[in-house]
Amino acid sequence: MLIGYARISTLDQTLALQQDALTAAGCEHIYTDTVSGSVTTRPGLAQALSHLRAGDTLVVWRLDRLGRSLPHLIETVSALVRQGVGFRSLQEQIDTTTSGGKLVFHVFGALAEFERDLIRERTHAGLAAARKRGRLFGRPKALTAQQVRQLQSLAKDERNTVAEICQTLGISRATYYRYLT
């Protein structure tokens, strides 16, 4: 069974073009959403996915109607394939039920993985360069070196209570004990 999914981003747009194309492609049921592609919750897509069974094919007018990004698209179609469900995009002429369509889809998957690896490498290189320039990452220390010495001095004097020392330095009890142990 062919199940269609159509999505538009705003109320100014119309679903008619996509619905006509999906009907002409032989879709028996068409589910729709009027929501931006960046939104993760899409009730129409959820309904379409829940009605798919092994041997069915999900049909979309264009790839960008299904996935928010290339990695999201790859993830969604891979999940369909694991369930024994095919995927078809009318405009790009991709059909994972054919060997050629599977090849094109795997090339897309490889490109998406390559893109993620490049982003990861650039991020690590940027962090390493920033560290070389002396940039510190993470939460700043609660106390300066001078305040740590003051804390140790106050803690040695038994007349001072933990609460008084914490109030004087403007720190919590947890910070007090962290610096003394």
Side-chain angles (χ1 to χ4, degrees):
M1 175 186 316
L2 299 179
I3 294 181
Y5 174 69
R7 180 183 61 80
I8 54 173
S9 301
T10 65
L11 293 173
D12 296 339
Q13 298 172 334
T14 177
L15 287 164
L17 173 70
Q18 294 179 53
Q19 288 174 320
D20 291 347
L22 293 171
T23 301
C27 293
E28 296 178 33
H29 301 285
I30 299 174
Y31 298 91
T32 64
D33 279 320
T34 302
V35 65
S36 169
S38 63
V39 175
T40 55
T41 306
R42 295 190 256 169
L45 179 58
Q47 280 184 311
L49 295 175
S50 71
H51 285 81
L52 289 166
R53 302 290 176 254
D56 290 347
T57 301
L58 178 65
V59 183
V60 295
W61 181 62
R62 279 185 23 194
L63 289 173
D64 66 346
R65 301 295 87 197
L66 179 63
R68 297 187 314 267
S69 63
L70 184 57
H72 178 256
L73 179 67
I74 301 293
E75 179 185 315
T76 302
V77 174
S78 296
L80 292 173
V81 170
R82 283 192 299 275
Q83 295 172 11
V85 173
F87 172 74
R88 204 166 131 201
S89 173
L90 301 177
Q91 291 296 307
E92 290 83 6
Q93 298 179 359
I94 296 173
D95 186 349
T96 63
T97 62
T98 68
S99 56
K102 286 178 187 173
L103 172 65
V104 170
F105 184 73
H106 286 293
V107 169
F108 279 175
L111 289 173
E113 186 175 343
F114 178 68
E115 176 187 25
R116 285 190 301 270
D117 288 344
L118 283 178
I119 291 169
R120 188 177 309 115
E121 288 173 9
R122 283 192 300 256
T123 301
H124 288 297
L127 291 172
R131 281 189 195 99
K132 278 186 178 179
R133 289 189 308 272
R135 173 80 164 86
L136 299 176
F137 296 96
R139 185 180 176 117
K141 298 288 183 190
L143 299 175
T144 64
Q146 181 182 352
Q147 288 174 316
V148 171
R149 287 191 297 275
Q150 185 181 8
L151 170 66
Q152 291 168 340
S153 173
L154 291 170
K156 285 180 185 174
D157 187 349
E158 294 178 7
R159 292 177 293 176
N160 297 321
T161 66
V162 173
E164 291 171 339
I165 295 171
C166 290
Q167 185 175 10
T168 301
L169 295 173
I171 60 174
S172 68
R173 288 175 98 68
T175 301
Y176 171 87
Y177 288 111
R178 188 177 321 116
Y179 277 94
L180 286 182
T181 55

